[in-house]
Amino acid sequence: RYGHFPLPRPLGLMLGQPFASSVSADPVPSWGCGRSAHSPGSSDRTMRYRPASGQPTQYRLMLPQHADGKTPLPLVLSFHGWAGNLSERPVLLAHGRQHGYIVAAPTGFADDLWPSWNGGGSTRSPGRLGATCLDPTGSLFDPPGTKGYCYASCGTCDDACWWTTCEDSVAQAAALLDELLGDVCVDASRVFATGVSNGAIFLYELASDPRTAGRFAGYAPVVGSPHAGFNAPPLHPPAAFFGVWGELDTTVPPAAANASDGVAVDTSYAGGWRYTAARAVTARRTAAGPSHNRSDSRTRGAAEAAWATSFVRAVPRCDAFVRRDSPRSLFRLHLTAVEIVPHQVVECVWGGGGHDAPPWAEDALLHFMRHHVAHASRLPPPRPSYYEAAQRGGLSAGDAAEVALIATAVVALAAAAAACVVRCHRRRRQRQALLSSLSQRGISVGPCAPRASAGRGGSMRTASLPVVAVLEPAAEEMACQMEDPWAGGAATVPPAAD
């Protein structure tokens, strides 16, 4: 049976050796290169990013055993399935450690239910093709009519088909990528995304959102398809795509229930969800949209007719999708060694497989990465100036970002203090002018302490006036009184002539 036989050694695979690409392209070092923010091995970290709700989230980082902080390495972001977490794919982390690529496995926002990822239509039902599940009224929930998977961040769900967090998972992924590019040494031209089930469905959102579509060299979803009506095309230029489905998967089936509409139906549950069939997914992956427009992305075009397919007799069964005008129209795909060019779209159906990752998934991902780099337009922006300073000072990039924020606050406080000094200096000059005027009248002013001065007829006049009475006109009524020996009583300081 498919998937139940000794795996052939992938071509060029050197166990325990650093990552070696078959694509002749110089690595693009991230601004985290040149410092040792992390040691090789696994570590769990809390993301610096938090949504408006304040929910914290963590990710597990695995650095290869030979990572030195100076050599740029490929990066894989791994997204777990529904109700999973950062520890869902230990085999992938171990594979990355052995074969020379970095793996970061974040945990999605849980709200009041379970960790999940928002994307692919999971919180936008009904869509262009109607409700994304067979029970939009929630009649099968207990009690009937309730929306059992409506997360707190969603507020009010439009129907019972919503089943993940409504937090901005794309913003979370983009923030994580920024954090990693600054903290570890990454080859920015070889950043890939993979996921299983809900994590795989989320990849289609990453590929069509302008915040992240240009940042990945390729996507490798496992047993996941966008919901019916949400099969949005990737933004131009399209990234490489390597999709894997289980032949016997009843949760996200690869085949359409009705060939005419291309919709696969979840039969594992009576009120199951509706997904896009695998063939419609891979055909749409080759279509590049000129811009990200939500209404356009929901419109089903005739782009599938513009692409040719070549069936490859291999195990598992895989079809390679290429443009008609490509100089190479035939690709050979073996179990874990694939001969491909940039932007190739590959669809693999794991014979006998269910709703889980096949045992050869990690080796297939490795060769997928070795044959792809990001388009020139996907290169990261220039490193911020504070990362340059961090590199000279030996700080980690994450700490440097925090230092930069603190420095900005200090500068703002210094500016406010300077403004205060100017105001105080101006008031001091006003006070000196007033004291000079009073002195010309023969009145000595002090901080409420009697002082002697020469008065008419050799007598002594004393006056006292608090400084605050001069600095703050509203407090003049608090001025100290002076004793006038000629009047036989007390008199207040007369107003200044000027």
Side-chain angles (χ1 to χ4, degrees):
R1 295 179 59 83
Y2 292 151
H4 298 279
F5 56 88
L7 302 181
R9 180 68 61 191
L11 180 62
L13 179 62
M14 298 176 291
L15 295 178
Q17 297 299 316
F19 182 90
S21 173
S22 63
V23 180
S24 58
D26 294 332
V28 178
S30 68
W31 52 81
C33 295
R35 63 185 62 87
S36 299
H38 300 277
S39 301
S42 176
S43 61
D44 292 351
R45 292 174 58 87
T46 299
M47 280 190 61
R48 289 189 281 272
Y49 168 82
R50 290 195 181 188
S53 63
Q55 288 189 74
T57 185
Q58 292 184 317
Y59 67 94
R60 179 164 296 172
L61 178 65
M62 173 64 74
L63 293 180
Q65 53 194 5
H66 64 275
D68 57 7
K70 300 178 181 179
T71 305
L73 300 175
L75 168 66
V76 175
L77 297 187
S78 175
F79 300 94
H80 60 74
W82 189 68
N85 54 42
L86 50 78
S87 61
E88 183 174 278
R89 296 187 69 181
V91 175
L92 177 61
L93 272 70
H95 193 272
R97 175 180 174 84
Q98 184 179 16
H99 294 290
Y101 59 92
I102 303 168
V103 181
T107 297
F109 293 116
D111 294 6
D112 55 334
L113 295 173
W114 299 276
S116 59
W117 306 101
N118 180 12
S122 62
T123 59
R124 297 205 298 271
S125 179
R128 180 180 57 84
L129 299 181
T132 58
C133 71
L134 301 179
D135 183 29
T137 62
S139 60
L140 298 179
F141 285 109
D142 186 16
T146 60
K147 299 175 181 178
Y149 298 125
C150 186
Y151 280 61
S153 58
C154 299
T156 301
C157 296
D158 292 347
D159 61 25
C161 300
W162 295 31
W163 58 282
T164 69
T165 179
C166 284
E167 295 285 6
D168 191 346
S169 297
V170 173
Q172 178 188 359
L176 175 59
L177 184 53
D178 287 338
E179 185 171 325
L180 293 171
L181 291 176
D183 285 357
V184 297
C185 190
V186 175
D187 181 356
S189 67
R190 290 185 172 88
V191 178
F192 298 85
T194 187
V196 176
S197 191
N198 178 211
I201 297 171
F202 175 56
L203 299 191
Y204 301 99
E205 196 74 22
L206 291 178
S208 61
D209 193 295
R211 293 173 293 175
T212 51
R215 309 189 66 178
F216 294 94
Y219 303 86
V222 179
V223 296
S225 301
H227 281 287
F230 294 92
N231 187 22
L235 296 185
H236 184 79
F241 178 87
F242 189 92
V244 177
W245 286 265
E247 182 184 38
L248 305 181
D249 187 357
T250 58
T251 302
V252 186
N258 187 340
S260 62
D261 60 11
V263 176
V265 179
D266 172 13
T267 59
S268 64
Y269 165 65
W273 277 259
R274 302 168 66 238
Y275 298 96
T276 306
R279 181 52 51 92
V281 169
T282 50
R284 179 56 67 89
R285 295 309 98 197
T286 58
S291 63
H292 183 72
N293 185 299
R294 181 62 66 183
S295 61
D296 290 343
S297 67
R298 295 187 182 186
T299 302
R300 187 171 185 176
E304 291 87 347
W307 311 96
T309 65
S310 59
F311 181 74
V312 182
R313 293 183 179 276
V315 179
R317 185 177 71 254
C318 297
D319 291 348
F321 288 70
V322 298
R323 297 185 68 114
R324 288 187 186 277
D325 57 0
S326 172
R328 304 175 64 184
S329 59
L330 180 64
F331 298 95
R332 297 190 302 274
L333 180 62
H334 302 292
L335 181 63
T336 54
V338 59
E339 182 182 357
I340 50 184
V341 295
H343 314 322
Q344 183 188 355
V345 175
V346 178
E347 169 195 324
C348 288
V349 177
W350 176 28
H355 192 66
D356 55 1
W360 41 263
E362 289 73 27
D363 282 339
L365 175 63
L366 176 63
H367 281 270
F368 175 66
M369 293 191 297
R370 284 179 170 172
H371 288 80
H372 291 88
V373 294
H375 190 273
S377 64
R378 303 172 188 268
L379 299 183
R383 66 181 68 183
S385 58
Y386 55 80
Y387 283 115
E388 297 283 1
Q391 189 170 12
R392 293 191 298 269
L395 294 175
S396 70
D399 292 339
E402 296 176 0
V403 169
L405 293 176
I406 295 174
T408 302
V410 169
V411 170
L413 290 175
C420 180
V421 169
V422 171
R423 290 195 300 270
C424 291
H425 181 68
R426 183 169 60 249
R427 291 180 179 180
R428 180 177 297 177
R429 293 180 59 185
Q430 294 173 350
R431 175 181 180 276
Q432 290 175 349
L434 178 59
L435 292 178
S436 177
S437 176
L438 294 176
S439 177
Q440 293 175 3
R441 293 175 169 222
I443 300 174
S444 175
V445 181
C448 295
R451 293 186 180 183
S453 65
R456 65 187 177 197
S459 64
M460 302 293 294
R461 292 181 81 186
T462 60
S464 56
L465 183 69
V467 174
V468 70
V470 180
L471 297 182
E472 300 292 343
E476 287 181 353
E477 65 274 8
M478 298 175 59
C480 296
Q481 295 180 340
M482 70 176 183
E483 182 179 351
D484 191 338
W486 307 294
T492 59
V493 178
D498 55 350

mmCIF file of all heavy atoms in Angstrom, residues 194-237:
data_model
loop_
_atom_site.group_PDB
_atom_site.id
_atom_site.type_symbol
_atom_site.label_atom_id
_atom_site.label_comp_id
_atom_site.label_asym_id
_atom_site.label_seq_id
_atom_site.Cartn_x
_atom_site.Cartn_y
_atom_site.Cartn_z
ATOM 1 N N THR A 194 4.694 25.772 6.950
ATOM 2 C CA THR A 194 3.998 24.493 6.865
ATOM 3 C C THR A 194 3.006 24.413 8.018
ATOM 4 O O THR A 194 3.098 25.157 8.996
ATOM 5 C CB THR A 194 4.985 23.309 6.915
ATOM 6 O OG1 THR A 194 4.285 22.081 6.661
ATOM 7 C CG2 THR A 194 5.669 23.216 8.268
ATOM 8 N N GLY A 195 2.054 23.532 7.885
ATOM 9 C CA GLY A 195 1.044 23.381 8.924
ATOM 10 C C GLY A 195 0.204 22.153 8.671
ATOM 11 O O GLY A 195 0.176 21.617 7.552
ATOM 12 N N VAL A 196 -0.464 21.701 9.705
ATOM 13 C CA VAL A 196 -1.313 20.514 9.628
ATOM 14 C C VAL A 196 -2.736 20.900 9.999
ATOM 15 O O VAL A 196 -2.964 21.625 10.970
ATOM 16 C CB VAL A 196 -0.803 19.399 10.567
ATOM 17 C CG1 VAL A 196 -1.748 18.206 10.550
ATOM 18 C CG2 VAL A 196 0.604 18.966 10.174
ATOM 19 N N SER A 197 -3.717 20.455 9.188
ATOM 20 C CA SER A 197 -5.134 20.669 9.469
ATOM 21 C C SER A 197 -5.447 22.166 9.560
ATOM 22 O O SER A 197 -5.284 22.891 8.585
ATOM 23 C CB SER A 197 -5.525 19.914 10.736
ATOM 24 O OG SER A 197 -6.920 19.897 10.907
ATOM 25 N N ASN A 198 -5.880 22.661 10.714
ATOM 26 C CA ASN A 198 -6.171 24.092 10.858
ATOM 27 C C ASN A 198 -4.945 24.939 10.528
ATOM 28 O O ASN A 198 -5.055 26.025 9.939
ATOM 29 C CB ASN A 198 -6.645 24.361 12.281
ATOM 30 C CG ASN A 198 -6.925 25.823 12.567
ATOM 31 O OD1 ASN A 198 -6.747 26.283 13.700
ATOM 32 N ND2 ASN A 198 -7.343 26.582 11.575
ATOM 33 N N GLY A 199 -3.759 24.456 10.892
ATOM 34 C CA GLY A 199 -2.529 25.162 10.549
ATOM 35 C C GLY A 199 -2.292 25.215 9.058
ATOM 36 O O GLY A 199 -1.786 26.208 8.525
ATOM 37 N N ALA A 200 -2.667 24.134 8.350
ATOM 38 C CA ALA A 200 -2.537 24.108 6.889
ATOM 39 C C ALA A 200 -3.545 25.055 6.247
ATOM 40 O O ALA A 200 -3.226 25.755 5.276
ATOM 41 C CB ALA A 200 -2.729 22.685 6.381
ATOM 42 N N ILE A 201 -4.766 25.079 6.767
ATOM 43 C CA ILE A 201 -5.791 25.983 6.233
ATOM 44 C C ILE A 201 -5.341 27.436 6.392
ATOM 45 O O ILE A 201 -5.580 28.276 5.522
ATOM 46 C CB ILE A 201 -7.126 25.736 6.957
ATOM 47 C CG1 ILE A 201 -7.624 24.321 6.683
ATOM 48 C CG2 ILE A 201 -8.175 26.765 6.550
ATOM 49 C CD1 ILE A 201 -8.826 23.905 7.515
ATOM 50 N N PHE A 202 -4.661 27.725 7.491
ATOM 51 C CA PHE A 202 -4.181 29.082 7.747
ATOM 52 C C PHE A 202 -3.145 29.526 6.711
ATOM 53 O O PHE A 202 -3.010 30.717 6.424
ATOM 54 C CB PHE A 202 -3.606 29.146 9.161
ATOM 55 C CG PHE A 202 -2.969 30.458 9.516
ATOM 56 C CD1 PHE A 202 -3.679 31.649 9.419
ATOM 57 C CD2 PHE A 202 -1.651 30.508 9.940
ATOM 58 C CE1 PHE A 202 -3.088 32.865 9.747
ATOM 59 C CE2 PHE A 202 -1.057 31.712 10.265
ATOM 60 C CZ PHE A 202 -1.775 32.893 10.169
ATOM 61 N N LEU A 203 -2.391 28.591 6.133
ATOM 62 C CA LEU A 203 -1.359 28.955 5.162
ATOM 63 C C LEU A 203 -1.945 29.676 3.953
ATOM 64 O O LEU A 203 -1.292 30.550 3.372
ATOM 65 C CB LEU A 203 -0.595 27.715 4.692
ATOM 66 C CG LEU A 203 0.162 26.912 5.749
ATOM 67 C CD1 LEU A 203 1.066 25.890 5.066
ATOM 68 C CD2 LEU A 203 0.977 27.810 6.655
ATOM 69 N N TYR A 204 -3.166 29.329 3.568
ATOM 70 C CA TYR A 204 -3.778 29.993 2.410
ATOM 71 C C TYR A 204 -4.058 31.464 2.719
ATOM 72 O O TYR A 204 -4.034 32.306 1.816
ATOM 73 C CB TYR A 204 -5.062 29.262 2.018
ATOM 74 C CG TYR A 204 -4.821 27.812 1.668
ATOM 75 C CD1 TYR A 204 -5.060 26.796 2.588
ATOM 76 C CD2 TYR A 204 -4.328 27.453 0.418
ATOM 77 C CE1 TYR A 204 -4.823 25.469 2.278
ATOM 78 C CE2 TYR A 204 -4.090 26.126 0.092
ATOM 79 C CZ TYR A 204 -4.337 25.135 1.031
ATOM 80 O OH TYR A 204 -4.088 23.818 0.719
ATOM 81 N N GLU A 205 -4.316 31.755 3.983
ATOM 82 C CA GLU A 205 -4.491 33.150 4.382
ATOM 83 C C GLU A 205 -3.161 33.899 4.317
ATOM 84 O O GLU A 205 -3.095 35.038 3.854
ATOM 85 C CB GLU A 205 -5.065 33.222 5.798
ATOM 86 C CG GLU A 205 -5.642 34.559 6.181
ATOM 87 C CD GLU A 205 -6.982 34.842 5.517
ATOM 88 O OE1 GLU A 205 -7.666 33.879 5.096
ATOM 89 O OE2 GLU A 205 -7.344 36.024 5.421
ATOM 90 N N LEU A 206 -2.089 33.250 4.767
ATOM 91 C CA LEU A 206 -0.761 33.867 4.693
ATOM 92 C C LEU A 206 -0.366 34.164 3.251
ATOM 93 O O LEU A 206 0.263 35.185 2.965
ATOM 94 C CB LEU A 206 0.280 32.947 5.332
ATOM 95 C CG LEU A 206 0.225 32.744 6.850
ATOM 96 C CD1 LEU A 206 1.313 31.771 7.276
ATOM 97 C CD2 LEU A 206 0.382 34.063 7.581
ATOM 98 N N ALA A 207 -0.734 33.264 2.333
ATOM 99 C CA ALA A 207 -0.334 33.415 0.936
ATOM 100 C C ALA A 207 -1.114 34.491 0.213
ATOM 101 O O ALA A 207 -0.662 34.985 -0.825
ATOM 102 C CB ALA A 207 -0.495 32.083 0.209
ATOM 103 N N SER A 208 -2.284 34.875 0.734
ATOM 104 C CA SER A 208 -3.119 35.862 0.049
ATOM 105 C C SER A 208 -3.187 37.199 0.765
ATOM 106 O O SER A 208 -3.755 38.142 0.234
ATOM 107 C CB SER A 208 -4.544 35.319 -0.127
ATOM 108 O OG SER A 208 -5.142 35.051 1.134
ATOM 109 N N ASP A 209 -2.609 37.295 1.949
ATOM 110 C CA ASP A 209 -2.619 38.558 2.693
ATOM 111 C C ASP A 209 -1.370 39.365 2.339
ATOM 112 O O ASP A 209 -0.250 38.834 2.410
ATOM 113 C CB ASP A 209 -2.659 38.272 4.197
ATOM 114 C CG ASP A 209 -2.986 39.519 5.004
ATOM 115 O OD1 ASP A 209 -2.156 40.466 4.994
ATOM 116 O OD2 ASP A 209 -4.049 39.566 5.649
ATOM 117 N N PRO A 210 -1.504 40.628 1.965
ATOM 118 C CA PRO A 210 -0.338 41.409 1.543
ATOM 119 C C PRO A 210 0.707 41.607 2.625
ATOM 120 O O PRO A 210 1.856 41.916 2.326
ATOM 121 C CB PRO A 210 -0.953 42.752 1.110
ATOM 122 C CG PRO A 210 -2.278 42.816 1.796
ATOM 123 C CD PRO A 210 -2.762 41.399 1.875
ATOM 124 N N ARG A 211 0.341 41.409 3.894
ATOM 125 C CA ARG A 211 1.319 41.569 4.972
ATOM 126 C C ARG A 211 2.325 40.437 5.019
ATOM 127 O O ARG A 211 3.431 40.604 5.556
ATOM 128 C CB ARG A 211 0.592 41.669 6.318
ATOM 129 C CG ARG A 211 -0.256 42.919 6.491
ATOM 130 C CD ARG A 211 -1.072 42.855 7.757
ATOM 131 N NE ARG A 211 -2.089 41.817 7.685
ATOM 132 C CZ ARG A 211 -2.885 41.487 8.700
ATOM 133 N NH1 ARG A 211 -2.754 42.114 9.870
ATOM 134 N NH2 ARG A 211 -3.813 40.555 8.563
ATOM 135 N N THR A 212 1.962 39.273 4.470
ATOM 136 C CA THR A 212 2.839 38.105 4.572
ATOM 137 C C THR A 212 3.088 37.406 3.245
ATOM 138 O O THR A 212 4.015 36.596 3.149
ATOM 139 C CB THR A 212 2.231 37.082 5.552
ATOM 140 O OG1 THR A 212 0.857 36.835 5.184
ATOM 141 C CG2 THR A 212 2.277 37.581 6.981
ATOM 142 N N ALA A 213 2.297 37.685 2.232
ATOM 143 C CA ALA A 213 2.390 36.921 0.981
ATOM 144 C C ALA A 213 3.769 37.009 0.358
ATOM 145 O O ALA A 213 4.233 36.050 -0.264
ATOM 146 C CB ALA A 213 1.334 37.414 -0.012
ATOM 147 N N GLY A 214 4.451 38.128 0.500
ATOM 148 C CA GLY A 214 5.751 38.278 -0.127
ATOM 149 C C GLY A 214 6.918 37.851 0.729
ATOM 150 O O GLY A 214 8.064 38.069 0.349
ATOM 151 N N ARG A 215 6.669 37.235 1.861
ATOM 152 C CA ARG A 215 7.749 36.951 2.801
ATOM 153 C C ARG A 215 8.143 35.487 2.862
ATOM 154 O O ARG A 215 9.080 35.135 3.581
ATOM 155 C CB ARG A 215 7.361 37.435 4.201
ATOM 156 C CG ARG A 215 6.865 38.878 4.223
ATOM 157 C CD ARG A 215 6.694 39.410 5.619
ATOM 158 N NE ARG A 215 7.972 39.521 6.304
ATOM 159 C CZ ARG A 215 8.113 40.007 7.539
ATOM 160 N NH1 ARG A 215 7.043 40.412 8.205
ATOM 161 N NH2 ARG A 215 9.295 40.085 8.105
ATOM 162 N N PHE A 216 7.430 34.636 2.123
ATOM 163 C CA PHE A 216 7.724 33.205 2.166
ATOM 164 C C PHE A 216 8.151 32.716 0.797
ATOM 165 O O PHE A 216 7.587 33.108 -0.223
ATOM 166 C CB PHE A 216 6.497 32.422 2.640
ATOM 167 C CG PHE A 216 6.112 32.695 4.067
ATOM 168 C CD1 PHE A 216 5.168 33.663 4.379
ATOM 169 C CD2 PHE A 216 6.693 31.987 5.105
ATOM 170 C CE1 PHE A 216 4.808 33.928 5.683
ATOM 171 C CE2 PHE A 216 6.345 32.238 6.422
ATOM 172 C CZ PHE A 216 5.400 33.215 6.720
ATOM 173 N N ALA A 217 9.138 31.835 0.790
ATOM 174 C CA ALA A 217 9.594 31.225 -0.458
ATOM 175 C C ALA A 217 8.671 30.102 -0.890
ATOM 176 O O ALA A 217 8.656 29.739 -2.071
ATOM 177 C CB ALA A 217 11.022 30.691 -0.296
ATOM 178 N N GLY A 218 7.911 29.527 0.010
ATOM 179 C CA GLY A 218 7.018 28.444 -0.339
ATOM 180 C C GLY A 218 6.132 28.043 0.821
ATOM 181 O O GLY A 218 6.407 28.370 1.987
ATOM 182 N N TYR A 219 5.068 27.313 0.484
ATOM 183 C CA TYR A 219 4.086 26.855 1.464
ATOM 184 C C TYR A 219 3.902 25.348 1.313
ATOM 185 O O TYR A 219 3.819 24.844 0.189
ATOM 186 C CB TYR A 219 2.740 27.557 1.267
ATOM 187 C CG TYR A 219 2.832 29.061 1.334
ATOM 188 C CD1 TYR A 219 3.155 29.814 0.203
ATOM 189 C CD2 TYR A 219 2.592 29.742 2.525
ATOM 190 C CE1 TYR A 219 3.246 31.191 0.259
ATOM 191 C CE2 TYR A 219 2.679 31.122 2.596
ATOM 192 C CZ TYR A 219 3.004 31.846 1.457
ATOM 193 O OH TYR A 219 3.100 33.210 1.511
ATOM 194 N N ALA A 220 3.817 24.651 2.443
ATOM 195 C CA ALA A 220 3.664 23.202 2.420
ATOM 196 C C ALA A 220 2.541 22.788 3.370
ATOM 197 O O ALA A 220 2.799 22.298 4.482
ATOM 198 C CB ALA A 220 4.975 22.514 2.794
ATOM 199 N N PRO A 221 1.292 22.950 2.963
ATOM 200 C CA PRO A 221 0.177 22.535 3.825
ATOM 201 C C PRO A 221 -0.002 21.016 3.821
ATOM 202 O O PRO A 221 0.199 20.361 2.795
ATOM 203 C CB PRO A 221 -1.026 23.236 3.199
ATOM 204 C CG PRO A 221 -0.662 23.380 1.753
ATOM 205 C CD PRO A 221 0.827 23.596 1.717
ATOM 206 N N VAL A 222 -0.393 20.486 4.958
ATOM 207 C CA VAL A 222 -0.623 19.039 5.109
ATOM 208 C C VAL A 222 -2.059 18.857 5.589
ATOM 209 O O VAL A 222 -2.443 19.400 6.633
ATOM 210 C CB VAL A 222 0.376 18.415 6.100
ATOM 211 C CG1 VAL A 222 0.101 16.919 6.253
ATOM 212 C CG2 VAL A 222 1.810 18.644 5.643
ATOM 213 N N VAL A 223 -2.842 18.105 4.838
ATOM 214 C CA VAL A 223 -4.249 17.790 5.106
ATOM 215 C C VAL A 223 -5.043 19.039 5.487
ATOM 216 O O VAL A 223 -5.721 19.088 6.517
ATOM 217 C CB VAL A 223 -4.410 16.673 6.167
ATOM 218 C CG1 VAL A 223 -3.829 15.376 5.662
ATOM 219 C CG2 VAL A 223 -3.752 17.043 7.495
ATOM 220 N N GLY A 224 -4.963 20.040 4.636
ATOM 221 C CA GLY A 224 -5.726 21.260 4.881
ATOM 222 C C GLY A 224 -6.066 21.977 3.593
ATOM 223 O O GLY A 224 -5.219 22.096 2.709
ATOM 224 N N SER A 225 -7.297 22.439 3.465
ATOM 225 C CA SER A 225 -7.759 23.193 2.300
ATOM 226 C C SER A 225 -8.612 24.356 2.779
ATOM 227 O O SER A 225 -9.249 24.275 3.835
ATOM 228 C CB SER A 225 -8.597 22.312 1.364
ATOM 229 O OG SER A 225 -7.870 21.191 0.903
ATOM 230 N N PRO A 226 -8.667 25.449 2.023
ATOM 231 C CA PRO A 226 -9.546 26.553 2.411
ATOM 232 C C PRO A 226 -11.011 26.145 2.314
ATOM 233 O O PRO A 226 -11.361 25.223 1.565
ATOM 234 C CB PRO A 226 -9.199 27.646 1.403
ATOM 235 C CG PRO A 226 -8.673 26.920 0.217
ATOM 236 C CD PRO A 226 -7.953 25.726 0.760
ATOM 237 N N HIS A 227 -11.858 26.801 3.052
ATOM 238 C CA HIS A 227 -13.285 26.499 3.006
ATOM 239 C C HIS A 227 -13.856 26.814 1.626
ATOM 240 O O HIS A 227 -13.307 27.634 0.867
ATOM 241 C CB HIS A 227 -14.033 27.300 4.072
ATOM 242 C CG HIS A 227 -13.913 26.711 5.442
ATOM 243 N ND1 HIS A 227 -14.566 25.555 5.807
ATOM 244 C CD2 HIS A 227 -13.217 27.111 6.530
ATOM 245 C CE1 HIS A 227 -14.291 25.269 7.064
ATOM 246 N NE2 HIS A 227 -13.455 26.206 7.526
ATOM 247 N N ALA A 228 -14.959 26.191 1.314
ATOM 248 C CA ALA A 228 -15.630 26.423 0.036
ATOM 249 C C ALA A 228 -16.001 27.901 -0.075
ATOM 250 O O ALA A 228 -16.622 28.461 0.827
ATOM 251 C CB ALA A 228 -16.881 25.551 -0.070
ATOM 252 N N GLY A 229 -15.608 28.517 -1.178
ATOM 253 C CA GLY A 229 -15.867 29.925 -1.379
ATOM 254 C C GLY A 229 -14.743 30.831 -0.940
ATOM 255 O O GLY A 229 -14.821 32.042 -1.108
ATOM 256 N N PHE A 230 -13.681 30.269 -0.377
ATOM 257 C CA PHE A 230 -12.560 31.067 0.118
ATOM 258 C C PHE A 230 -11.234 30.598 -0.473
ATOM 259 O O PHE A 230 -10.189 30.718 0.171
ATOM 260 C CB PHE A 230 -12.515 31.022 1.649
ATOM 261 C CG PHE A 230 -13.690 31.688 2.288
ATOM 262 C CD1 PHE A 230 -14.821 30.956 2.622
ATOM 263 C CD2 PHE A 230 -13.688 33.048 2.528
ATOM 264 C CE1 PHE A 230 -15.922 31.563 3.209
ATOM 265 C CE2 PHE A 230 -14.787 33.666 3.120
ATOM 266 C CZ PHE A 230 -15.912 32.925 3.462
ATOM 267 N N ASN A 231 -11.279 30.060 -1.681
ATOM 268 C CA ASN A 231 -10.068 29.596 -2.352
ATOM 269 C C ASN A 231 -9.406 30.777 -3.056
ATOM 270 O O ASN A 231 -9.374 30.863 -4.286
ATOM 271 C CB ASN A 231 -10.418 28.483 -3.345
ATOM 272 C CG ASN A 231 -9.184 27.845 -3.950
ATOM 273 O OD1 ASN A 231 -8.096 27.914 -3.389
ATOM 274 N ND2 ASN A 231 -9.358 27.209 -5.101
ATOM 275 N N ALA A 232 -8.879 31.704 -2.271
ATOM 276 C CA ALA A 232 -8.286 32.923 -2.823
ATOM 277 C C ALA A 232 -6.963 32.608 -3.501
ATOM 278 O O ALA A 232 -6.183 31.792 -3.006
ATOM 279 C CB ALA A 232 -8.075 33.949 -1.717
ATOM 280 N N PRO A 233 -6.661 33.253 -4.631
ATOM 281 C CA PRO A 233 -5.375 33.035 -5.291
ATOM 282 C C PRO A 233 -4.263 33.715 -4.517
ATOM 283 O O PRO A 233 -4.497 34.700 -3.806
ATOM 284 C CB PRO A 233 -5.576 33.687 -6.666
ATOM 285 C CG PRO A 233 -6.571 34.765 -6.417
ATOM 286 C CD PRO A 233 -7.506 34.219 -5.373
ATOM 287 N N PRO A 234 -3.043 33.232 -4.644
ATOM 288 C CA PRO A 234 -1.922 33.908 -3.986
ATOM 289 C C PRO A 234 -1.614 35.219 -4.680
ATOM 290 O O PRO A 234 -1.948 35.419 -5.838
ATOM 291 C CB PRO A 234 -0.776 32.904 -4.141
ATOM 292 C CG PRO A 234 -1.111 32.162 -5.400
ATOM 293 C CD PRO A 234 -2.613 32.050 -5.419
ATOM 294 N N LEU A 235 -0.985 36.124 -3.953
ATOM 295 C CA LEU A 235 -0.598 37.382 -4.553
ATOM 296 C C LEU A 235 0.577 37.165 -5.497
ATOM 297 O O LEU A 235 1.349 36.226 -5.369
ATOM 298 C CB LEU A 235 -0.224 38.395 -3.469
ATOM 299 C CG LEU A 235 -1.348 38.813 -2.518
ATOM 300 C CD1 LEU A 235 -0.857 39.905 -1.587
ATOM 301 C CD2 LEU A 235 -2.568 39.287 -3.289
ATOM 302 N N HIS A 236 0.741 38.063 -6.432
ATOM 303 C CA HIS A 236 1.827 37.968 -7.419
ATOM 304 C C HIS A 236 3.130 38.444 -6.800
ATOM 305 O O HIS A 236 3.161 39.429 -6.092
ATOM 306 C CB HIS A 236 1.481 38.820 -8.635
ATOM 307 C CG HIS A 236 2.483 38.714 -9.744
ATOM 308 N ND1 HIS A 236 2.519 37.651 -10.604
ATOM 309 C CD2 HIS A 236 3.489 39.540 -10.113
ATOM 310 C CE1 HIS A 236 3.496 37.829 -11.481
ATOM 311 N NE2 HIS A 236 4.095 38.970 -11.190
ATOM 312 N N PRO A 237 4.273 37.769 -7.030
ATOM 313 C CA PRO A 237 4.398 36.516 -7.769
ATOM 314 C C PRO A 237 4.058 35.325 -6.872
ATOM 315 O O PRO A 237 4.326 35.381 -5.677
ATOM 316 C CB PRO A 237 5.884 36.493 -8.152
ATOM 317 C CG PRO A 237 6.553 37.256 -7.072
ATOM 318 C CD PRO A 237 5.582 38.325 -6.633
#
